[in-house]
């Protein structure tokens, strides 16, 4: 979408180019390459999400005037007397549950050099997310005011950042700001590719099928995993009309419900058992898929909510019905001591 709007490049060609670049540096550089590029890309994203809304505010005449414009624009639902429902608020807040189950975020903490660095890493991570999310929300809200005040034609609301960058800044500055979109795409995609390939090579192949596998064989299988996952992602992305937000929210719910619940119980409940963790992950994933595709029309709530709740219930019940493995309590206490 970025290349299409900026360069007039055909969607399919842009998709192929992006896929090849991301796969190439993930394939060749591995974990260290992804970490360093994530640092630079993260700073670029945060900077863009601070500069763009501040400039938008300046052009709109300040925060109060922008909010007055937004207040005058009433969506159809509000004009019909329907306020924001409790389910909508719960759904919005439930996005926070997804963070606990994101593999590309968790792996950063898993690979940290020392537990003493976790507090600083936590502060940096949460600060970055808070600033970036606030900036994103401001761009969305101010975008409504800007489009209305200057009577812009915006066919795709997801391109508001692209349009604002092109309208408000010198082409050179706009180019840097627009590269922040590529940074967001590439940092997430490369991290997910790396985690997925590592899971295929290390967790499945080496631990289940071939415990004596050589490092070379595991590395080759990991690279093959990168290619396989990239191909699947490419095929999903060929649907030009699909919403980026809807795809991300679906994946976010799946990760949060299946892995997030297990992570939280692992950190705060020493009684959780191995079988309960497995059942919780399976339950969370299944409930999200089933609810999204078959039950969402009956109760409009973000699918992570029922998925997370069901996974948590299964973890609690299964843990109480099964025995804790020897050494679990000691390992849990050691973890708390180190933290």
């Amino acid at each position: 979408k970025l290349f299409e709007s900026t360069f007039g490049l055909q969607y399919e060609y842009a998709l192929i180019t992006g896929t090849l670049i991301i796969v190439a540096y993930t394939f060749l550089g591995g974990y260290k390459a992804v970490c360093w590029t994530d640092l630079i890309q993260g700073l670029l994203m945060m900077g863009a999400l601070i500069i763009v809304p501040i400039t938008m505010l300046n052009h709109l005449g300040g925060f109060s005037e922008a909010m007055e414009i937004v207040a005058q624009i009433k969506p159809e639902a509000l004009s019909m007397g329907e306020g924001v429902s409790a389910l909508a608020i719960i759904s919005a807040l439930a996005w926070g549950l997804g963070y606990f189950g994101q593999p590309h975020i968790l792996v950063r903490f898993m690979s940290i050099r020392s537990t003493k660095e976790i507090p600083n890493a936590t502060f940096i991570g949460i600060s970055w997310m808070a600033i970036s999310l606030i900036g994103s929300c401001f761009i969305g809200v101010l975008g409504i005011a800007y489009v209305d005040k200057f009577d812009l034609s915006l066919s795709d609301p997801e391109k508001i950042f692209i349009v604002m960058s092109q309208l408000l800044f010198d082409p050179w500055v706009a180019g840097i700001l627009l590269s922040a979109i590529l940074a967001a795409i590439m940092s997430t995609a490369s991290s997910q590719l790396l985690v997925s390939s590592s899971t295929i090579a290390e967790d499945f192949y080496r631990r289940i099928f071939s415990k004596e596998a050589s490092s070379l064989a595991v590395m080759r299988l990991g690279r093959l995993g990168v290619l396989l996952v990239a191909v699947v992602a490419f095929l999903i992305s060929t649907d030009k009309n699909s919403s980026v937000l809807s795809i991300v929210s679906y994946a976010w719910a799946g990760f949060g419900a299946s892995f997030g619940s297990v992570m939280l119980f692992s950190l705060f409940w020493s009684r959780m058992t191995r079988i309960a963790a497995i059942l919780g992950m399976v339950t969370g994933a299944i409930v999200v898929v089933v609810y999204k595709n078959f039950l969402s029309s009956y109760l409009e709530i973000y699918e992570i909510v029922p998925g997370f709740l069901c996974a948590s219930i299964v973890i609690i019940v299964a843990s109480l019905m099964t025995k804790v493995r020897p050494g679990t309590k000691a390992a849990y206490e050691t973890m708390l001591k180190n933290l």
Side-chain angles (χ1 to χ4, degrees), residues 15-311:
L15 185 60
I16 293 170
T17 303
T19 303
L20 290 175
I21 292 171
I22 294 170
V23 170
Y25 83 76
T26 306
F27 195 85
L28 298 173
Y31 184 71
K32 184 172 286 189
V34 170
C35 287
W36 277 107
T37 51
D38 273 4
L39 169 65
I40 298 167
Q41 290 163 346
L43 292 173
L44 180 60
M45 280 186 277
M46 186 175 70
L49 292 170
I50 293 172
I51 294 169
V52 172
I54 290 175
T55 308
M56 290 173 72
L57 270 176
N58 184 49
H59 280 254
L60 287 166
F63 183 77
S64 58
E65 185 171 337
M67 290 303 100
E68 286 179 11
I69 298 171
V70 174
Q72 293 171 2
I73 307 169
K74 295 185 178 181
E76 185 178 352
L78 290 177
S79 65
M80 293 170 64
E82 299 175 13
V84 179
S85 67
L87 291 179
I89 296 173
I90 293 172
S91 294
L93 292 173
W95 274 79
L97 296 172
Y99 274 108
F100 302 113
Q102 301 303 312
H104 59 297
I105 296 175
L106 297 174
V107 74
R108 299 295 188 271
F109 286 93
M110 291 168 64
S111 61
I112 204 162
R113 286 174 295 190
S114 168
T115 52
K116 294 179 181 179
E117 295 182 8
I118 288 180
N120 288 335
T122 303
F123 175 77
I124 293 170
I126 292 177
S127 299
W128 180 90
M129 282 186 271
I131 294 170
S132 300
L133 289 172
I134 291 170
S136 301
C137 290
F138 266 105
I139 290 173
V141 174
L142 296 176
I144 296 172
Y146 200 98
V147 168
D148 182 75
K149 181 175 181 177
F150 296 99
D151 196 25
L152 297 181
S153 177
L154 187 66
S155 58
D156 186 353
E158 288 191 329
K159 292 182 179 179
I160 184 64
F161 180 86
I162 298 174
V163 173
M164 290 297 99
S165 298
Q166 292 172 331
L167 282 177
L168 302 177
F169 298 92
D170 175 89
W172 287 97
V173 178
I176 296 172
L177 294 174
L178 291 174
S179 66
I181 298 176
L182 281 178
I185 297 166
M186 294 172 71
S187 62
T188 303
S190 59
S191 296
Q192 296 285 19
L193 281 174
L194 202 65
V195 171
S196 300
S197 64
S198 176
T199 300
I200 293 171
E202 294 284 350
D203 298 336
F204 281 97
Y205 180 68
R206 173 171 271 177
R207 294 191 181 184
I208 298 176
F209 299 107
S210 181
K211 295 183 179 180
E212 303 300 323
S214 65
S215 298
L216 181 61
V218 173
M219 182 185 71
R220 286 175 176 172
L221 186 62
R223 288 180 172 176
L224 178 62
V226 169
L227 293 176
L228 290 174
V229 176
V231 168
V232 174
F234 176 85
L235 294 174
I236 293 173
S237 302
T238 53
D239 182 6
K240 180 181 177 181
N241 298 317
S242 62
S243 165
V244 175
L245 182 60
S246 64
I247 294 174
V248 170
S249 67
Y250 192 17
W252 192 264
F255 281 135
S258 55
F259 302 139
S261 53
V262 173
M263 287 300 302
L264 285 176
F265 277 98
S266 297
L267 291 171
F268 296 104
W269 194 35
S270 61
R271 184 67 179 76
M272 187 180 75
T273 62
R274 182 181 183 182
I275 187 66
I278 295 171
L279 291 175
M281 286 188 284
V282 172
T283 300
I286 292 175
V287 171
V288 165
V289 173
V290 172
Y291 192 90
K292 171 72 173 179
N293 293 284
F294 303 104
L295 303 176
S296 57
S297 58
Y298 298 101
L299 184 65
E300 293 186 6
I301 192 169
Y302 186 23
E303 55 269 19
I304 195 174
V305 177
F308 195 95
L309 287 175
C310 290

